[in-house]
Amino acid sequence: MSASGPRSHGLVLATQKLDGITGRGTTLCAVAETVNTNQFKNGMHIELEGDVWRIVEFQHVKPGKGGAFVRTKLKALASGAVVEKTFRAGEKFARVRTETKDMQYLYDAGDEVVFMDQDTFEQTSLPHGMVEDALEFMQPSSFVQLLMVGGRPSGLQLPASVELTVSETEPGVKGDTVSNVTKPATLETGAVVQVPLFVNPGDRIKVDPREKRYISRV
């Protein structure tokens, strides 16, 4: 694979064709080892019932009675359908190979979002629904990584943190540095996150776009 090609993520690979997922002669590859629910991460791809799904979000639940379980929201790579599923704690799944390509976000065309490959300068249009969650934290000309599964776009891999300006929130109280009490704040990109009371409009803050979580003031 050339230096300009997509980069592989994962362990040793075992080739496995999944009906309804592969296309244009591309064989989808699944990582030989499995992952369990304790290893789930947002954006991870798993095989379930013969299809490939991206983990949109998940929550570990430990009820007072009965065994622990995990609530998930999954998005199908093939159809784009989003479903909610519950799994037993520790349940295992085949993790699906992903690759990334460095892209630059150009503009939102409405039904599609346009990116440019940083290596080839070719433009790629993705359905708005595929990347709408990530768009909340992206500005034109920002750099992102396009996730590829079996040679097909699956979504965007966002960085661990981004810096954005607060455009609207209730004014902070001078001297109030309590961080465990929060209020909603709208960022310059339109995303809404919970921030500490001392954050003001115009403040530059660092947020985790994957969890839509405030990290700190810049």
Side-chain angles (χ1 to χ4, degrees):
M1 183 177 293
S2 66
S4 62
R7 294 186 292 275
S8 298
H9 292 264
L11 305 173
V12 179
L13 303 177
T15 303
Q16 177 181 14
K17 185 168 183 179
L18 305 180
D19 294 338
I21 301 298
T22 57
R24 299 181 181 178
T26 301
T27 301
L28 196 60
C29 296
V31 176
E33 295 189 18
T34 59
V35 293
N36 63 47
T37 56
N38 295 324
Q39 298 169 297
F40 276 4
K41 294 181 180 180
N42 290 346
M44 179 182 288
H45 291 76
I46 60 173
E47 178 193 345
L48 178 67
E49 298 173 353
D51 289 330
V52 176
W53 300 80
R54 177 163 59 91
I55 300 173
V56 178
E57 60 185 54
F58 64 95
Q59 178 185 21
H60 293 280
V61 181
K62 295 181 179 179
K65 295 182 180 180
F69 59 92
V70 180
R71 291 195 186 102
T72 65
K73 182 180 291 185
L74 306 176
K75 187 170 186 177
L77 175 61
S79 66
V82 176
V83 300
E84 295 184 357
K85 286 186 176 292
T86 300
F87 304 108
R88 299 186 307 275
E91 194 166 345
K92 295 182 179 181
F93 306 87
R95 183 176 179 181
V96 176
R97 174 185 179 180
T98 61
E99 298 173 326
T100 60
K101 294 180 69 174
D102 293 326
M103 307 290 284
Q104 183 178 25
Y105 168 43
L106 297 182
Y107 59 91
D108 185 349
D111 292 339
E112 295 182 325
V113 182
V114 183
F115 299 85
M116 182 176 68
D117 190 310
Q118 293 184 60
D119 295 318
T120 66
F121 303 107
E122 294 181 356
Q123 293 189 8
T124 299
S125 297
L126 300 178
H128 193 280
M130 180 182 289
V131 298
E132 59 184 349
D133 291 340
L135 280 177
E136 287 188 309
F137 297 92
M138 292 165 47
Q139 294 178 297
S141 300
S142 60
F143 297 98
V144 296
Q145 290 187 316
L146 176 64
L147 277 173
M148 309 286 290
V149 178
R152 297 174 55 185
S154 169
L156 299 178
Q157 180 167 284
L158 296 176
S161 66
V162 296
E163 296 180 5
L164 295 168
T165 300
V166 176
S167 60
E168 183 180 343
T169 191
E170 291 293 327
V173 179
K174 188 175 181 180
D176 190 347
T177 58
V178 177
S179 59
N180 60 349
V181 180
T182 62
K183 62 184 178 180
T186 303
L187 308 182
E188 58 185 306
T189 54
V192 177
V193 297
Q194 293 293 317
V195 300
L197 296 180
F198 56 77
V199 172
N200 284 294
D203 283 354
R204 192 82 173 165
I205 66 173
K206 182 181 293 186
V207 298
D208 182 340
R210 300 166 303 180
E211 298 182 2
K212 301 183 179 182
R213 177 178 59 84
Y214 167 88
I215 299 175
S216 66
R217 276 197 297 195
V218 178

